[in-house]
Amino acid sequence: MKPLQALKKQGQLTPLDMSFAQLICRLAANESDELTWAAALASHATANGHACLDLTREAGRNIYLGDAAGSVTLPDFKSWIAALQGLSVVGSPADYCPLILDEAGRLYLYRYWKYEQDLAQALNRRAGAAALAVDEDQLQKDLHTLFPASSAKPDWQKVAAAAAVLNQFCVISGGPGTGKTSTVIRILALLRLQPNGLDLKIALAAPTGKAAARMQEAIHQAKQGLPVDESIRDAIPEEATTLHRLLGARMDSVYFRHDQQNPLPIDVLILDEASMVDIALMTKLIWALPEKARLIMLGDKDQLSSVEAGAVLADICGKEQLFSDAFRDKLIRLLGEDLPSRSGSPPAIADSILLLHQSYRFSDESGIGRLAKAVNQGDGKAALSLLNNKHLPDIHLHASHDTIAEEAADSYKSYLTRIKAGADIDSIFAAFNSFRVLCAIRGGPNGVTLLNQRIEQALAARNLIDAGSDYYAGRPIMITCNDHGLRLYNGDIGLLLPDPECGGRLRACFQGSDHAVRRLAPASLPRHETVYTMTVHKSQGSEFGQVLLVLPEEGSPLLSRELLYTGITRAKSRFELFAVDGILLAAVQQKLSRTTGLQDLLWGRQ
């Protein structure tokens, strides 16, 4: 165990990883190096976002243990596998054991192997199933009404809408401004226009409260201009909820009120921001979904994956867009336009995947759009050239980190002066949400923790806030743990504001998806933190007019292409980056890879 102790001291293994390895060895009555390493590293992999440990990658790896301890080499693949096979604690996929080793050399904690298997089986069943009772003549007529002639050939939004109505399962993935919301509002109209469509029980959900609020507001605005009868427009649902609230979160439990035995009472579920959903939560959602219900997922497969284990949306979307010949022919008949063909016989899941590429938010001249594309394609030199292009007014690169706090204070002045002037709460929230500082990491001089303090000091120096106590007017807060009793969840953001109905005493104000404001006493809040700046991960599901993204001045394994892309695409009108050239280029080149077996289960070994 000495090498493991050295890694624990370095922070590369946690006490939980160590305890798990010791437990597995006791259960197996075997303290071999092969089992000890396998158990500790499998635990560590899951905690770091992987669904499993890939022994083919780990085998033979040399691990540095520190100057005093030197290094250790992990077992080679064949001897490692041979040592694990036959142990009572390591089973094959047909067994019920703490660890599961599959034929590809992936080692799972049983719970995550079970999640992956259940999710893949459920999605494969849905992917091969047509939705019930679709009137294709009515669908064809309504598609042409709701999607007038487009210069885009084919019109992938129209294709996606048709597929979502025809299929029991559909995924629509695209970057910002590619029309996911305008497509889904038309899908909702198409469903309502089907025979008995007004009787469908439709639920709208997202992983976070902020994402649900954005979804609700977007649908409310978009449905007003639909060319349908008012009765159909009124029947399109607007109210969106979080997944935890939809499933019925239980106090002090990882399970939900709705499951296989108590399924959700719905016919259609539309899930937004699906890239944020980890494999455990997605599997529990599938467990709770009635077998015949439609599931329509929206998201951006190129964004950061969930904080917890898995890369579910990216795995589902696979490598490329291709339809089976039969489904392609059906779409051509319905839409009256040709679709590209692909050679080979794709798996059933292929007919459920729709990728939107054309951005309607960012023009060809948009710096934000061009920068996001360059980063997503891994072209660091092009990204750096765009950021240094003085003719692109919507993007800017700061070479020095010295002015971050002052730049942030300039932008936050807007909402704080509104508070002092007694403005209405909606305008205060709108001004606050028009700007945000995002960080790649939490620690270090340019991480969330210290930058929040520096920005707070800069605002206090300008007399915009009174930071003499933990509670002051204008302090932005983010909830960092779930409190089902108060209906506050990890990631919810509020503002401390004077409440005229309570004699001006401070209340923590949280704006709901319907813009209704909940006011709570600050002392009653669950664990929370100041949020002038937040991690890119926490910003997913949000959009801001202006974004200031801060990268550390030294390299970090957390920096990646996906993190940069996600940070850039939070901005609608202006994006500024604090980064040195070398760190930026390294981040663009670093593509995240989550170890899972889900894509193989859905698409086959590619």
Side-chain angles (χ1 to χ4, degrees), residues 392-455:
L392 296 174
D394 58 338
I395 58 175
H396 180 68
L397 176 64
H398 298 266
S400 170
H401 288 62
D402 295 341
T403 61
I404 296 171
E406 295 302 320
E407 295 272 352
D410 286 343
S411 295
Y412 281 130
K413 179 180 178 180
S414 175
Y415 92 91
L416 291 167
T417 53
R418 280 175 166 80
I419 295 173
K420 289 182 178 293
D424 67 275
I425 199 165
D426 284 346
S427 71
I428 293 171
F429 267 102
F432 173 66
N433 289 324
S434 68
F435 170 77
R436 197 59 45 87
V437 180
L438 305 181
C439 290
I441 59 177
R442 290 191 61 84
N446 296 303
V448 166
T449 303
L450 288 181
L451 271 183
N452 267 321
Q453 295 174 11
R454 288 165 55 192
I455 293 170

Side-chain angles (χ1 to χ4, degrees), residues 245 485-488 492 507-512 516-520:
R245 200 169 299 166
L486 290 176
R487 291 185 292 117
L488 290 176
D492 286 354
R507 290 290 180 263
C509 300
F510 295 86
Q511 195 175 43
V517 176
R518 296 173 60 218
R519 295 172 171 85
L520 302 169

Side-chain angles (χ1 to χ4, degrees), residues 114 116-126 601-602:
K114 179 69 169 152
E116 196 171 88
Q117 294 292 315
D118 283 5
L119 181 58
Q121 289 168 13
L123 293 181
N124 279 326
R125 284 197 306 271
R126 290 177 182 277
L601 293 171
L602 297 174

Side-chain angles (χ1 to χ4, degrees), residues 14 16 41 66 72 133 156 194 216 350 448 471 578:
T14 67
L16 178 62
L41 293 176
V72 65
W156 285 109
Q194 282 287 297
Q216 182 164 313
V448 166
Y471 299 123
F578 282 83

